[in-house]
Amino acid sequence: LFALATSVFSAMNERELRQRRTDLESLVQVGTRLDDVIDPVQQARIVLAAVMDRFAFTRGVVIGASNGRAVVLASQEVPDASTAPADADAILHRAWERRTVLPVRSLDADANPTLASLLPRARNLLVAPMVADGRPVGAIVVEHRSRDIRAVERRVLSVLAQFAAIAALNMRNAVLLRHVQDLAERDSLTGVANRYMFQ
């Protein structure tokens, strides 16, 4: 009985180690791909595709945020995702305040009109905040296949949070780089293109 229990425990540990190694490899691959991309929209697409592939979520969106406004940067399995800026939903504000992945059974359409329209009849959502330099830059919102959102593995929540952190830092860096390029190519007083931009 002891030998059987030991072998079962060993097999479980080996399986968990394999999953963690695969999770880490996914994070490294995404980080490497994001380093080569400057456009935040392309970055959002890369991150969302990796998250959806890794965990087989049913639907997902990446929301970009600035000054309390939110815009859809990427979506999968979400038809007609509007890219018009809107006020950030209450659930996004809560995720940014807590700075942790929030499990949500269903969306209240009055408090979360943007997400409710993007993900109609959504059940068992995970909202991963993207925060860089203490400021919200967006969120990854995915729908889990589980019947009960409380049954989601801690490993999934942890890896989703790590994907969100990587995405937040890369998006912040892309925006800063674009700002520096803009400063280099335009006159600081008038905003008109300078000689460097024309060259």
Side-chain angles (χ1 to χ4, degrees), residues 123-140:
R123 308 287 298 168
N124 300 327
L125 296 172
L126 298 173
V127 181
M130 298 188 323
V131 179
D133 294 334
R135 295 183 192 160
V137 295
I140 300 172

Side-chain angles (χ1 to χ4, degrees), residues 43-182:
Q43 289 180 342
R45 289 179 182 154
I46 290 169
V47 169
L48 185 60
V51 167
M52 298 289 283
D53 288 344
R54 181 71 192 110
F55 298 111
F57 294 125
T58 54
R59 295 186 282 180
V61 293
V62 175
I63 305 285
S66 178
N67 299 326
R69 304 283 285 168
V71 64
V72 176
L73 297 177
S75 64
Q76 277 199 8
E77 303 302 323
V78 177
D80 304 325
S82 171
T83 56
D87 291 332
D89 288 347
I91 195 69
L92 296 176
H93 284 289
R94 191 178 324 146
W96 292 329
E97 287 170 11
R98 294 185 183 177
R99 297 189 185 196
T100 185
V101 178
L102 292 181
V104 180
R105 284 187 187 164
S106 63
L107 290 170
D108 175 16
D110 294 331
N112 306 294
T114 303
L115 287 176
S117 67
L118 286 170
L119 303 164
R121 298 178 307 283
R123 308 287 298 168
N124 300 327
L125 296 172
L126 298 173
V127 181
M130 298 188 323
V131 179
D133 294 334
R135 295 183 192 160
V137 295
I140 300 172
V141 182
V142 289
E143 187 175 25
H144 199 277
R145 294 179 187 276
S146 173
R147 291 184 180 178
D148 185 5
I149 196 65
R150 293 171 294 179
V152 176
E153 294 178 58
R154 281 189 193 164
R155 179 185 64 85
V156 173
L157 298 177
S158 173
V159 175
L160 184 58
Q162 290 170 345
F163 271 109
I166 288 171
L169 290 174
N170 278 278
M171 288 174 115
R172 190 255 345 243
N173 290 344
V175 169
L176 288 175
L177 180 61
R178 185 169 283 176
H179 182 65
V180 168
Q181 287 174 337
D182 197 47

Side-chain angles (χ1 to χ4, degrees), residues 22-39:
T22 307
D23 291 341
L24 187 58
E25 287 171 356
S26 297
L27 287 166
V28 169
Q29 288 172 355
V30 167
T32 303
R33 289 185 63 200
L34 290 178
D35 286 343
D36 298 333
V37 178
I38 298 173
D39 181 29

